[in-house]
Amino acid sequence: MTIEYAIIIKNKTRLELLIERFNTKAQAKFYIERQGGVFEDYEIEHEIFQNSLHSLQSQLSRVIKNKIVERNFISSFLFSDNQLIIVIGQDGLVANTAKYSKNIPIIAVNPDKERYDGVLLPFNTSDFIGGVENVMENKFTSKTMPFAEAKLNDGQRLLAFNDLFIGASTHISAKYKIEFNSEIEEQSSSGLIVSTSAGITGWMSSIFNMSYSITSLFEHDLTPKKPQIKSNQLLFAVREPFKSVRTQIGINSGVINKNFKLKIESLMPTSGVIFSDGIESDFLRFNSGSIATIGIADETATLVLKD
């Protein structure tokens, strides 16, 4: 099918969000500086992003029709096969967009290389147009990214590009029964993180960092390692499991694949949730009676690569 439209996905800058909160830039500046912050950093970040966005739009308009969709409208936007998607922003915006992309090619652009790591942002404003032209000519190279899936026993499901959180919506302990690899136990913890291969450098990496830091106090020859899994696998970790006369800690981590899924039964009367990619508003209620099966979804996302 011929590509007729480019959909630019962006998020508001921190400065724009501050102005929304305080009504004017002057009031936002007064608040930040009164708290001891450096307001200039917000202004510089905003200016760099706006310049990158302007450059992207200017180049794109010479090649294809386009329009901007803000991040908070992604979930209700209807993508179609005659479109391509251009994400300009942080890595997390790629994850948020991918779940609704319907496998449409995504060109991810880093607007500020000095500020963002860009693990999922292979392009910048000086080279992205080549990726656009390749997609339009159907000559692009891409990486197929799988999603994690949480499916409840009532049929509801939630996808995650980076990671799923299963636990309590507050700082109380999550209580649940966990089943993995033919083992079952009751647990109390700060919840579980389930990471895809794309999200392994995100939330899951911080769990590894914490574990190594604490263990290194007692094991001085410990060599830190980065978590690694294959694209057709998921990695789960239980956060801060608590051992008691009622709860166990034997199932604390594992690799999920097509043959080994993770099953969790909520024992929480209220406040149980499952949310994806760090967006707490994108969630399933996970209270007593709910059973979640965590595995690899059939859906995938297509990330365009540099040649």
Side-chain angles (χ1 to χ4, degrees), residues 141-155:
T141 56
S142 64
K143 184 175 183 180
T144 300
M145 306 297 293
F147 293 104
E149 175 193 60
K151 187 173 183 178
L152 298 185
N153 51 331
D154 64 3

Side-chain angles (χ1 to χ4, degrees), residues 40-57:
E40 184 182 10
D41 187 52
Y42 293 83
E43 294 178 304
I44 293 172
E45 178 188 37
H46 177 78
E47 183 179 0
I48 291 174
F49 178 81
Q50 291 299 325
N51 289 339
S52 294
L53 179 61
H54 176 73
S55 174
L56 184 144
Q57 283 186 285

Side-chain angles (χ1 to χ4, degrees), residues 51 83 90 109 182 189-190 197 202 217 222 286 303:
N51 289 339
Q83 298 170 343
Q90 301 182 48
V109 179
S182 301
S189 74
S190 296
S197 58
L217 292 173
L222 191 67
F286 187 56
L303 299 187

Side-chain angles (χ1 to χ4, degrees), residues 9-11 49 87-94 109-111 116 121:
I9 307 296
K10 63 174 283 291
N11 199 8
F49 178 81
V87 174
I88 179 168
Q90 301 182 48
D91 292 87
L93 188 56
V94 178
V109 179
N110 190 338
Y116 306 134
L121 307 167

Side-chain angles (χ1 to χ4, degrees), residues 75-217:
S75 60
S76 59
F77 188 82
L78 297 177
F79 292 101
S80 63
D81 291 339
N82 66 343
Q83 298 170 343
L84 63 84
I85 299 171
I86 300 175
V87 174
I88 179 168
Q90 301 182 48
D91 292 87
L93 188 56
V94 178
N96 300 151
T97 303
K99 288 185 294 184
Y100 307 101
S101 66
K102 298 181 179 178
N103 217 27
I104 295 169
I106 299 173
I107 297 171
V109 179
N110 190 338
D112 190 346
K113 292 186 291 183
E114 298 299 319
R115 193 176 297 269
Y116 306 134
D117 290 338
V119 175
L120 297 175
L121 307 167
F123 296 94
N124 56 56
T125 54
S126 66
D127 59 19
F128 84 97
I129 203 68
V132 171
E133 292 171 341
N134 287 342
V135 171
M136 293 176 66
E137 296 171 3
N138 198 27
K139 297 179 180 178
F140 64 98
T141 56
S142 64
K143 184 175 183 180
T144 300
M145 306 297 293
F147 293 104
E149 175 193 60
K151 187 173 183 178
L152 298 185
N153 51 331
D154 64 3
Q156 294 185 81
R157 62 196 292 265
L158 184 67
L159 299 180
F161 182 85
N162 279 335
D163 41 52
L164 290 165
F165 170 81
I166 304 104
S169 60
T170 62
H171 289 295
I172 63 174
S173 294
K175 298 184 184 301
Y176 51 89
K177 187 178 293 183
I178 184 171
E179 179 179 347
F180 183 71
N181 197 17
S182 301
E183 295 184 8
I184 302 175
E185 62 184 34
E186 190 171 319
Q187 290 190 346
S188 176
S189 74
S190 296
L192 295 88
I193 300 297
V194 181
S195 178
T196 67
S197 58
I200 205 76
T201 57
W203 200 345
M204 185 63 74
S205 70
S206 68
I207 295 176
F208 269 66
N209 293 339
M210 179 186 69
S211 300
Y212 274 111
S213 294
I214 295 173
T215 307
S216 65
L217 292 173

